[in-house]
Amino acid sequence: MSEPVSDAEGRSRRNFHRSRYDRYQGGPDPLAPPLDLREALDEIGADVMAGSSPQRALRELLRRGTPTMRGLDELRERINRRRNEILKQRNLDGTFAEIRELLDRAVLEERKQLARDLDDDARFAEMQIGNLPSSTAAAVNELAQYQWRSPQARQDYEKIRDLLGRELLEQRFAGVKSALEGADENDRQAITEMLSDLNDLLAKHNRGEDTTDAFADFMAKHGQFFPENPRNTDELVESLAKRSAAAQQFYNSLSPEQRAELDQLSQQAFGSPDLMNALAQVDSQLQMARPDLDWDGSREFSGERPMGLGEAATAMADLAELDELSEAMSQQYAGADLADIDLDALARQLGDDAAVDARTLQRLEQALRDQGFFERGADGEMRLSPKAMRQLGHSVLADVAERLTGRGERETRLSGRLGEPTGATREWAFGDTEPWDVPRTITNAVVRGAGAGEFSPGRPVRLEIGDVEITETEARSQAAVVLLVDTSFSMEMEGRWTPMKRTAIALNHLISTRFRTDELAIIAFGREARTIDVGELAGLSPRMEQGTNLHHALLLAQRHLRRFPHATPVVLIVTDGEPTAHLEPSGESFFYYPPHPQTIGLTVSELDHLSRMGAQITIFRLGEDPGLAMFIDRIARRVGGRVVAPDVDGLGAAVVGDYLRGRGRQR
């Protein structure tokens, strides 16, 4: 016998069985990984260092996307392909061809009937049928009062009138064509009343009157014609106006002959011109309500697939929607915002995946702004925030570390070879020389062996490479570091601008995270020199300015070193040209090329001054200019400094590696 089930257990089981699973209906992928802001920030940082503003760099990122995310350009390309497909696969002859086919069929059936009839009236009717105008519209109008003898012929002719009425309504009201197929006189009367009431409602709206009650009455009476279920007059106008504008664009796209045909045929819609007159009033009211829509536009269809009037209006509306989406994707208009992209329209035109891509871009832009990666500088310009610079510095230093070690596994762990324990441990990697943390290493081996069933008391512990942990160390002595970076225009011309910035960012990040007692100053020198923070340097644009004022930069370097008299002075100079400018006693910059002897003398004098201060001087020479190489080699020997001639891609690793070697020597 089973045990009785408690009330609580019974309720739990009942609630459990009420759970249900539904098919995924689109929208954001619930299993998608979170946004990778680091990847996005790296892309933005690269553009900023190349000379773009942060705002422009963000726009470029959204435009081109990332390796893992489609951008606006690709979505816009899909929109344009969809637009071209509509134009190149279809034409506007559908309704005209269908009417011609019905007319030919009616005339043929009538001729068959007349051939069987032997009275004189039949002969007269044969003459009338035989002399119909070649124009389809003129023939349809001429047969308006004709007394058909063949029931089949009369039925086919009535189909023409019915088709015209339904097509003209379909142009303005989606879905009406199929709903009114086989409509009787009562249905036509309901349409007439709806159009009359609609014109009254639109007239009140255009006069600025309150239409709340009128709209409610209208929808209660005629709501079956509006399956989209608008909530107010504005929404009703919005949906009708776009379709009405599409109908007008269809008319504008016809040839003059086709327009004349349509004007004549429209008078036979439902056998009366009343429908066309009512629709013309609706179009006029809608154009007055939404003059901003493209009522004068036209399209050039060149395909082989014919479309009826209603289908063509739908195609026109699709094309208008695609044009709006394309403009929103371009983001090239004043006040552009990704929120302008209509995700529902994008899903209709390209599918849910495109809407998901656009929504992801919107989320990415919002996340970058919300998480404080941008800020306004004192000049009001947008710039990368300190938070963004820290993240960018981490990525840049990781690249530099990989070049230094030849291994990506070690990331930015560059402190481990320099001295005193930090209190932290990490897994050993090839090339490490730090002492082992024996307790952690043995513990790792025991835990691993126990998990694999290899360990038991009394048996020796077997070590594997993965068990080894080492003690991280770092130097505790202080250094005053000056990084002098050449910002003359030749750095940009020779492709050294961005590597120079990456070098400064990597060194700044290393010092700020691993050697916090060190004091770094970055000095940029072109025609003149100035101390600059790393965020400002990242966004610095190249200037069309000649001059390499190393003399001024060395004066500023001495000022920084004097602020820390007990720190080890370190001077790192990155340049691609001989000194061609110096600072006059008046404070003005003097420039002359080729280098003036006075410029050379003042520059060498300040290097001598730094040497007497005990500074460790390293000059990173970029380029293969023999004159520059000779000059730098001579002054390096004079002041006991080092010369490094890295390639552009290895500049960051050379500077960071030299700094680390210097920190090692301080021990």
Side-chain angles (χ1 to χ4, degrees), residues 176-371:
V176 170
K177 178 182 177 182
S178 57
L180 287 180
E181 189 169 7
D184 56 23
E185 193 57 37
N186 291 332
D187 296 322
R188 297 190 183 102
Q189 183 60 35
I191 287 289
T192 302
E193 291 180 10
M194 183 272 289
L195 292 175
S196 176
D197 292 345
L198 178 59
N199 274 311
D200 291 341
L201 178 64
L202 294 175
K204 288 182 179 180
H205 176 76
N206 289 337
R207 289 195 299 268
E209 298 178 15
D210 182 9
T211 60
T212 304
D213 294 337
F215 173 79
D217 293 340
F218 176 81
M219 290 300 295
K221 186 176 180 181
H222 306 294
Q224 71 272 22
F225 295 109
F226 304 94
E228 62 272 19
N229 196 28
R231 293 171 295 180
N232 51 52
T233 307
D234 288 332
E235 290 189 6
L236 178 66
V237 168
E238 179 73 15
S239 62
L240 292 179
K242 289 184 177 180
R243 209 164 168 84
S244 179
Q248 184 61 46
Q249 288 182 18
F250 166 80
Y251 184 81
N252 299 340
S253 304
L254 297 173
S255 66
E257 294 78 12
Q258 287 176 319
R259 284 199 291 269
E261 289 266 306
L262 183 58
D263 289 341
Q264 281 187 289
L265 287 170
S266 299
Q267 302 303 313
Q268 295 300 322
F270 290 149
S272 168
D274 293 343
L275 174 66
M276 198 60 208
N277 293 337
L279 288 177
Q281 292 180 41
V282 170
D283 290 342
S284 177
Q285 296 281 6
L286 291 171
Q287 189 166 359
M288 188 183 304
R290 288 295 307 274
D292 56 300
L293 296 179
D294 186 8
W295 298 89
D296 299 321
S298 62
R299 310 282 180 170
E300 293 186 7
F301 292 87
S302 57
E304 298 181 356
R305 176 185 165 188
M307 295 182 293
L309 302 184
E311 187 181 2
T314 299
M316 292 289 183
D318 285 342
L319 290 170
E321 193 166 69
L322 288 167
D323 287 344
E324 291 177 2
L325 287 170
S326 180
E327 183 180 13
M329 294 290 178
S330 74
Q331 296 286 288
Q332 296 299 313
Y333 52 92
D337 194 306
L338 286 188
D340 298 339
I341 299 174
D342 187 336
L343 298 180
D344 292 335
L346 190 60
R348 280 195 300 272
Q349 298 298 336
L350 300 184
D352 289 336
D353 63 322
V356 169
D357 290 337
R359 187 183 292 110
T360 301
L361 291 173
Q362 291 175 345
R363 290 174 53 221
L364 175 63
E365 180 187 38
Q366 193 63 44
L368 286 170
R369 295 185 185 280
D370 290 348
Q371 296 198 21

Side-chain angles (χ1 to χ4, degrees), residues 20 43 86 111 124 205 267 318 360 379 424-425 459 472 554 578 608 659:
R20 50 183 302 208
E43 296 273 345
I86 294 175
R111 281 178 171 170
F124 180 77
H205 176 76
Q267 302 303 313
D318 285 342
T360 301
D379 55 1
T425 65
R459 293 182 59 183
E472 282 195 339
L554 294 171
E578 300 173 75
D608 288 343
Y659 165 76

Side-chain angles (χ1 to χ4, degrees), residues 85-102:
E85 287 172 2
I86 294 175
L87 291 173
K88 292 181 179 180
Q89 292 179 0
R90 306 180 182 186
N91 62 53
L92 304 178
D93 295 334
T95 297
F96 296 104
E98 193 171 355
I99 290 173
R100 186 77 230 184
E101 181 181 351
L102 288 171

Side-chain angles (χ1 to χ4, degrees), residues 599-663:
T599 299
I600 298 296
L602 290 171
T603 302
V604 172
S605 175
E606 296 308 325
L607 282 167
D608 288 343
H609 198 166
L610 284 170
S611 179
R612 288 192 295 272
M613 294 175 68
Q616 303 172 13
I617 302 174
T618 305
I619 303 174
F620 300 88
R621 173 176 57 82
L622 301 178
E624 303 298 331
D625 179 26
L628 174 64
M630 182 182 300
F631 170 77
I632 288 180
D633 287 344
R634 291 172 66 179
I635 63 172
R637 285 196 299 270
R638 178 185 179 96
V639 299
R642 296 179 65 245
V643 177
V644 181
D647 57 36
V648 172
D649 292 336
L651 176 61
V655 172
V656 170
D658 189 83
Y659 165 76
L660 290 172
R661 280 190 294 272
R663 294 300 273 110

